[in-house]
Amino acid sequence: MLYDCRSPADRDRGIAAAIEAVKNGELVVLPTDTVYGIGADAFTPYAVKALLDAKGRGRQMPPPVLIGSRHTLDGLVFTLPQAARDLVEAFWPGALTIVIEHSPSLQWDLGEKTGTVAVRMPLHPVALEVLRETGPMAVSSANRTGEPAAVTAEQARTQLSYSVRAYLEAGPCPDPVPSTIVDLTGEVPQVLRQGAIPLEKLRDVVPDIVESRVG
């Protein structure tokens, strides 16, 4: 079902429905500050599998994890590099995804790549309200693999149909540029994907950051 979060009453109903769906292991589509995302409880393996199936994607490309507060990050990692803390302080919530080593004790299965996770705290009130109640969610762009990323919930519903329990519509994304991805698992921070936050701004915070030579 699609809920128009631009209406206060529908927003409340939609957020409640999305939270319930995630806690029941079902899929939701929600707005973020980049593009719309399809999300599931990160700690429910069958829900993550359903997310990958809905997108037509295999386990070789684990979805990123979205969180609703900076404090949640500390619960996902054993130790966090200082560069990661500095970048989070500067750019969260916002269009920065960081790749870090997650705590070995976490009971989740996001895909074939183990030991690391891509994490982001989005700058969107609807997404944050959902995430603060559900906890960490596996979230990928709300589209079938190979199709354009959805910039409205209606576009996402056209592609994903009944595989999703609740669609939260908040209007077109104001700036549908993907997040910048920074890998912080090595000795030198690397930009894996150029995105909404340019390299120059990242270097203002972490001067030794480099562009990845891969790809």
Side-chain angles (χ1 to χ4, degrees):
M1 185 169 179
L2 190 143
Y3 300 87
D4 190 343
C5 294
R6 293 167 291 189
S7 155
D10 219 19
R11 174 191 168 116
D12 290 344
R13 286 193 295 267
I15 287 175
I19 291 167
E20 181 182 10
V22 173
K23 290 183 175 180
N24 288 336
E26 297 174 291
L27 303 181
V28 300
V29 162
L30 69 169
T32 78
D33 47 339
T34 55
V35 295
Y36 277 71
I38 177 174
D41 178 16
F43 293 98
T44 303
Y46 68 81
V48 176
K49 182 181 185 301
L51 185 158
L52 295 173
D53 289 346
K55 283 185 62 73
R57 173 181 289 185
R59 284 173 49 82
Q60 72 279 6
M61 295 182 67
V65 169
L66 296 191
I67 58 177
S69 77
R70 296 177 186 174
H71 299 296
T72 304
L73 183 61
D74 291 322
L76 301 180
V77 299
F78 186 66
T79 58
L80 194 64
Q82 186 59 48
R85 293 194 182 278
D86 292 342
L87 289 170
V88 164
E89 182 67 28
F91 299 111
W92 276 15
L96 173 71
T97 299
I98 59 172
V99 178
I100 52 175
E101 295 180 3
H102 66 71
S103 174
S105 63
L106 289 184
Q107 298 297 309
W108 63 14
D109 181 9
L110 299 174
E112 290 179 0
K113 296 180 181 178
T114 59
T116 64
V117 64
V119 187
R120 185 165 90 85
M121 181 183 175
L123 180 58
H124 196 288
V126 171
L128 290 175
E129 196 166 337
V130 173
L131 288 162
R132 283 168 183 156
E133 293 297 321
T134 62
M137 286 176 59
V139 179
S140 185
S141 57
N143 57 280
R144 294 282 298 174
T145 298
E147 296 296 322
V151 296
T152 66
E154 187 62 55
Q155 287 182 10
R157 186 166 66 170
T158 299
Q159 295 190 47
L160 300 169
S161 188
Y162 294 107
S163 62
V164 172
R165 177 71 173 178
Y167 290 87
L168 302 186
E169 179 67 82
C173 297
D175 190 19
V177 178
S179 66
T180 299
I181 302 177
V182 178
D183 184 350
L184 293 148
T185 61
E187 290 186 8
V188 178
Q190 293 189 57
V191 176
L192 299 184
R193 180 177 74 188
Q194 299 275 3
I197 300 173
L199 182 60
E200 299 74 38
K201 285 192 175 182
L202 297 173
R203 282 184 172 152
D204 286 342
V205 179
V206 180
D208 63 341
I209 198 166
V210 298
E211 291 184 78
S212 173
R213 295 180 181 178
V214 179

